[in-house]
Amino acid sequence: MSPFVTSTTMSALVKTRPDIGLSMEQCSIPQIGPEEVLIKINKTGICGTDIHIWNWDEWAARTVPVPLIIGHEFAGEIVELGNQVEALALGQRVSGEGHLVGKHSRQSRAGKFHLDPETRGIGVNEPGAFAQYLKLPAFNVVPLPDSISDDIGAILDPLGNAVHTALSFDLISEDVLITGAGPIGIMAAVVARHAGARNVVITDVNQDRLDLAALAADIVPVNVVTEDLAAIPARLGMNQGFDVGMEMSGNQIALDQMVEAMVMGGRIAMLGIPPGKSPVDWSRIVFKALTLKGVYGREIFETWYKMISMLQNGLDVSKVITHRMPATDFDIGFETMLGGSSGKIVLDWTDL
Ligand code: NAD
Ligand code: ZN
């Protein structure tokens, strides 16, 4: 047992039964294996995935075993090292990749870990990070430089989704359209700005979210309820449509609007997850010669490398965090997220 851990139990946010909500429970502190580390959690971010689990929707009921400690966005410090772990140290500040990959698939053996079909997620299939302590394979640990705070460390997972999507296609001097100004859409817009796009336009139907986007960086917010997206290119001095699209709403109407607004031969990266099957006008996509790329998770670990380098080089996503609260107020955090107007909400586990 670690000299840094004096108790055998910890507080953790648990889905205890197949129903709506979560509860703070006393659980055993995880025992680590030789290639794992124990991380004392300082900050965590609430994700849309956690909201699905809170609501216990059809996906959650199908996917999440009960009981389970949930949560996968975190920053903390290492308090115990397995005896096979190298190149990490006690006390080191870290975040980490929450996708636990296998070693057997062709993709994994080729080093394309993010494409491994055996992937299991912490806080979804395996015990998660909404707890005082988290057990994680050393392989998944990502050290945090001193310049990256625990608050930002706690949102690197969704920032990684944004970075993975945004860097899917060349952005320098391109006109970029993002549909969906949720936390990930806004972060993708900030990344596109940082990466040298010419115009970055973001759409939503929620004015609070668009206001937050405008606050976060030099982005053109468009409320598609009250404004005509078709009028925007001319207003920005663009001759044709958008070169690069990032679909980040999961809404079919938004994808239709994006296809319509793209230039011939444009490229679209799709992160948003539609709730079910949705009709797509494929002939429009074919005649426009568009390229569509599905994006899942983060590239392990190239996205992490790029993201941390950008944060060290002026990328500022701090405005996307709109609420901070102690983990004991988790129900307020979840209710705020359910309201649909917040950015990222960060829970503080240090005072438990
Ligand atoms: P979010 O739900 O907070 O944001 C989605 C936004 O889209 C909302 O602000 C909503 O108002 C907006 N929207 C709804 N209809 C719209 C329309 N017609 N036009 C424009 N905007 C519209 O989600 P998030 O946490 O920012 O995540 C973005 C998306 O990415 C979600 O669909 C999420 O499920 C998905 N996601 C995918 C992965 C992955 O690995 N592929 C990972 C994380 C999240
Ligand atoms: Zn997440």
Side-chain angles (χ1 to χ4, degrees):
M1 183 159 157
S2 162
F4 295 93
V5 184
T6 49
S7 169
T8 55
T9 61
M10 63 177 186
S11 298
L13 212 43
V14 184
K15 178 61 98 178
T16 49
R17 50 202 165 78
D19 203 354
I20 196 165
L22 291 164
S23 57
M24 195 66 90
E25 303 284 331
Q26 282 300 302
C27 301
S28 298
I29 294 176
Q31 300 281 318
I32 61 166
E35 295 180 350
E36 295 175 327
V37 301
L38 189 67
I39 298 166
K40 178 182 168 294
I41 298 295
N42 290 335
K43 302 282 175 72
T44 58
I46 304 178
C47 177
T49 302
D50 305 321
I51 297 296
H52 288 289
I53 298 174
W54 172 281
N55 287 335
W56 204 243
D57 64 12
E58 198 200 322
W59 168 84
R62 199 169 4 104
T63 313
V64 179
V66 173
L68 187 78
I69 300 172
I70 74 147
H72 56 271
E73 304 180 359
F74 68 92
E77 57 203 69
I78 295 177
V79 289
E80 192 179 356
L81 295 161
N83 60 20
Q84 302 286 312
V85 175
E86 294 171 348
L88 293 172
L90 288 175
Q92 192 167 15
R93 294 178 55 251
V94 296
S95 181
E97 173 58 56
H99 286 178
L100 310 179
V101 296
K103 292 178 179 164
H104 307 293
S105 69
R106 176 181 175 186
Q107 294 93 319
S108 264
R109 291 175 73 82
K112 297 175 190 166
F113 299 114
H114 68 293
L115 300 179
D116 177 36
E118 291 173 15
T119 298
R120 296 176 66 73
I122 65 166
V124 176
N125 316 108
E126 301 288 335
F130 287 176
Q132 288 179 284
Y133 297 94
L134 168 73
K135 172 177 88 164
L136 197 70
F139 177 75
N140 285 58
V141 170
V142 177
L144 288 176
D146 291 345
S147 59
I148 297 182
S149 67
D150 283 345
D151 282 14
I152 297 297
I155 63 165
L156 291 182
D157 168 296
L159 175 57
N161 295 135
V163 167
H164 185 183
T165 314
L167 301 188
S168 289
F169 300 113
D170 185 16
L171 292 175
I172 295 175
S173 301
E174 303 289 27
D175 296 320
V176 175
L177 174 63
I178 296 167
T179 45
I184 302 182
I186 296 176
M187 288 193 281
V190 179
V191 171
R193 260 269 153 269
H194 181 83
R198 181 171 65 167
N199 293 297
V200 181
V201 174
I202 193 163
T203 68
D204 206 294
V205 293
N206 177 332
Q207 193 56 43
D208 293 334
R209 287 248 160 119
L210 291 164
D211 292 345
L212 182 61
L215 210 66
D218 178 17
I219 307 164
V220 179
V222 176
N223 188 330
V224 286
V225 177
T226 55
E227 287 176 85
D228 182 8
L229 181 60
I232 302 297
R235 199 180 94 196
L236 296 176
M238 292 164 50
N239 289 331
Q240 300 184 55
F242 292 90
D243 306 297
V244 175
M246 300 181 210
E247 206 309 289
M248 303 227 155
S249 74
N251 187 292
Q252 184 226 322
I253 297 167
L255 177 62
D256 284 347
Q257 286 183 332
M258 175 173 278
V259 167
E260 211 46 50
M262 297 300 291
V263 73
M264 284 282 297
R267 289 143 294 160
I268 296 177
M270 295 185 60
L271 185 88
I273 302 171
K277 289 186 183 177
S278 52
V280 175
D281 186 353
W282 288 107
S283 65
R284 193 81 187 109
I285 290 169
V286 172
F287 286 130
K288 273 203 150 179
L290 299 178
T291 298
L292 263 68
K293 178 191 174 194
V295 179
Y296 176 58
R298 296 146 296 281
E299 282 190 16
I300 305 171
F301 286 87
E302 190 61 9
T303 300
W304 290 87
Y305 179 87
K306 292 272 192 183
M307 163 165 72
I308 288 172
S309 297
M310 285 192 281
L311 287 167
Q312 289 178 308
N313 188 30
L315 178 72
D316 180 7
V317 291
S318 57
K319 295 214 172 56
V320 176
I321 301 176
T322 52
H323 297 75
R324 294 172 173 82
M325 58 194 72
T328 43
D329 288 345
F330 68 91
D331 46 351
I332 300 172
F334 275 81
E335 295 298 340
T336 307
M337 276 282 279
L338 284 161
S341 292
S342 65
K344 289 303 293 184
I345 299 177
V346 170
L347 300 179
D348 184 339
W349 291 82
T350 53
D351 283 336
L352 266 90

